[in-house]
Amino acid sequence: MGLTSKKVLLLAVLVAVALFILTVWLWPRLSKGNWRAVLGRIGLLLATQLSLFASIGLFANNSFGFYASWADLFGQEQDPGVVTNYQTGPNGTKLQMLGTERISVENGSRPKSAGRIDKVLIRGEHSKIASPAFVYLPPQYFQKKYANTKFPAALVLTGYPGTAEALYKKLHFPQTQHGLLKQRKMRPTVLVMMRPTVAPPRDTECVDIPNGPQTETFFTKDLRTDIAEHYRIGREAKSWGVMGDSTGGYCALKMTMRHPEAYSTAVALSGVYKAPLDATTGDLFGGSRQLERENNLLWRQRNKPAPPVNLLVTTSKQGEANYHQTLRFIQQTKSPTRISSIILDSGGHNFNTWRREIPAALEWIGNHLKA
């Protein structure tokens, strides 16, 4: 049974309840002072505590999508490997279809009414990275009226470690766009949903790591090329945006500021403004202070020319650690960069807060992109 299976969660809860009842029932028998009774009490308490922690951990993981599988949890994630049997160039494709997912909206099985989610494998020609993604095609993509129309696209990223499935199962990006389209509040936009962890289990922070994974190249070159070759999507920067939460938000801002030729628009939901350096990232910059500074967004604002891009940042006055840095980022923004914000009175670094911000953020990004 998979890590995110409801059966696993139910089993963990049942085991925790059973151990609690067993502890209460056996406690009088283990009240003696001999070593066997003491060990029995310790064993029951440890087993009960561990089962409770496991139940809470599984519930939190199912709610917030931290890990997708047991292998992911234990650092043994094995995403599809390097594909060697694809043609490239004008006579072939670097994108492989892996299947489709149903959308939880009315008439969800009818693409012309609900759109469609394709699961694909993207193989980066320049980065040599292969990673899966979920591509949401809006209903208009399948309607005769738009048969010859190219669409804008937004890359949507999770935080670290995150699961791509959480973007449509928990954060409801496709469902939210579906509602906004029915209200005619945004243009139909293709959503490319994935996590930034394309070289698991390492947290690469969307950096081209010296002698390591070329994650920035994957997102700014390979992904855009592969998706545009397979779907009716514009190729210019004005047709492409990127948004994400937490680490994904940092990636969105960083890649748009560093590569305005790739992305014209970015949304950062509770994003940070510099990459952390810890056990999950390792040495991201190969000891280069200059490369580290160039990936610090507050430093870039002060020391690099402002690119002609659109940026939206979100935070909360209470409950968000990035509040003061976000205000500083807004104040430091220089023309021709255009800055917008969503600032809640209270919130947090969690799915509930992001679900409050996503409708306005999707409407904003959808109306800034043009095919």
Side-chain angles (χ1 to χ4, degrees):
M1 292 184 286
L3 177 64
T4 58
S5 168
K6 291 182 180 179
K7 292 181 180 179
V8 171
L9 176 59
L10 179 61
L11 179 62
V13 171
L14 290 175
V15 170
V17 171
L19 284 171
F20 176 77
I21 294 172
L22 186 64
T23 300
V24 173
W25 183 53
L26 291 178
W27 200 260
R29 302 185 186 186
L30 299 173
S31 60
K32 299 178 182 180
N34 60 60
W35 65 271
R36 290 181 179 177
V38 172
L39 287 179
R41 292 197 297 270
I42 293 173
L44 279 174
L45 287 174
L46 282 175
T48 304
Q49 292 286 348
L50 286 173
S51 64
L52 284 171
F53 282 127
S55 299
I56 294 170
L58 287 167
F59 177 78
N61 187 65
N62 286 3
S63 299
F64 297 102
F66 297 121
Y67 299 96
S69 65
W70 295 108
D72 194 8
L73 175 64
F74 293 111
Q76 299 172 332
E77 173 65 44
Q78 297 294 324
D79 277 329
V82 176
V83 179
T84 59
N85 60 345
Y86 293 150
Q87 294 180 345
T88 59
N91 298 318
T93 178
K94 297 179 285 294
L95 184 144
Q96 179 188 9
M97 285 288 298
L98 301 178
T100 60
E101 298 283 335
R102 188 180 184 277
I103 305 168
S104 57
V105 297
E106 186 179 357
N107 296 318
S109 60
R110 298 180 57 198
K112 290 183 179 180
S113 299
R116 189 179 74 199
I117 297 176
D118 290 349
K119 184 176 183 181
V120 302
L121 177 67
I122 301 168
R123 179 179 181 271
E125 182 178 5
H126 298 91
S127 64
K128 307 305 178 185
I129 289 173
S131 185
F134 293 91
V135 180
Y136 171 64
L137 304 168
Q140 289 79 2
Y141 191 90
F142 303 96
Q143 297 169 5
K144 289 184 179 180
K145 180 181 177 181
Y146 297 89
N148 298 314
T149 299
K150 287 191 175 183
F151 291 79
L155 170 63
V156 185
L157 297 173
T158 69
Y160 174 83
T163 66
E165 289 88 345
L167 293 169
Y168 65 90
K169 291 183 177 180
K170 304 294 183 181
L171 291 176
H172 305 142
F173 274 94
Q175 297 90 326
T176 302
Q177 184 183 168
H178 186 266
L180 291 170
L181 290 173
K182 292 183 72 173
Q183 300 172 51
R184 299 185 178 182
K185 288 187 174 181
M186 69 175 288
R187 298 186 184 97
T189 303
V190 174
L191 304 179
V192 183
M193 300 174 288
M194 58 191 307
R195 60 180 189 168
T197 313
V198 293
R202 189 173 187 180
D203 176 11
T204 60
E205 295 287 323
C206 301
V207 172
D208 276 353
I209 301 173
N211 300 314
Q214 303 296 288
T215 313
E216 191 169 20
T217 295
F218 174 82
F219 283 121
T220 58
K221 292 184 179 179
D222 293 334
L223 178 140
R224 294 174 63 256
T225 300
D226 294 357
I227 293 292
E229 284 182 356
H230 194 80
Y231 296 103
R232 300 196 315 273
I233 294 174
R235 294 175 179 267
E236 298 180 29
K238 67 180 182 179
S239 299
W240 280 88
V242 53
M243 67 187 301
D245 60 75
S246 190
T247 297
Y250 164 71
C251 289
L253 293 176
K254 189 264 291 288
M255 292 191 295
T256 302
M257 293 171 70
R258 283 171 56 85
H259 297 277
E261 78 286 353
Y263 296 105
S264 64
T265 305
V267 175
L269 307 174
S270 304
V272 295
Y273 301 95
K274 63 179 293 187
L277 294 176
D278 55 30
T280 65
T281 64
D283 183 4
L284 293 175
F285 308 111
S288 170
R289 290 288 298 164
Q290 182 60 27
L291 185 58
E292 182 176 353
R293 284 192 293 266
E294 289 181 1
N295 281 270
N296 182 322
L297 305 186
L298 294 171
W299 183 91
R300 288 193 70 86
Q301 286 183 316
R302 295 191 303 269
N303 295 279
K304 294 286 186 178
V309 295
N310 309 296
L311 306 178
L312 171 65
V313 292
T314 81
T315 188
S316 304
K317 295 178 182 177
Q318 294 183 348
E320 281 278 23
N322 77 335
Y323 174 63
H324 294 291
Q325 281 201 325
T326 298
L327 294 184
R328 184 178 169 192
F329 183 82
I330 294 170
Q331 292 164 357
Q332 286 189 176
T333 301
K334 297 176 290 189
S335 180
T337 299
R338 292 167 293 278
I339 188 75
S340 302
S341 70
I342 298 173
I343 300 179
L344 303 177
D345 287 333
S346 63
H349 203 78
N350 54 56
F351 279 16
N352 183 58
T353 298
W354 299 330
R355 278 192 289 262
R356 295 162 60 195
E357 298 166 340
I358 286 170
L362 258 182
E363 181 179 347
W364 182 88
I365 197 171
N367 290 323
H368 276 83
L369 301 178
K370 300 176 182 179

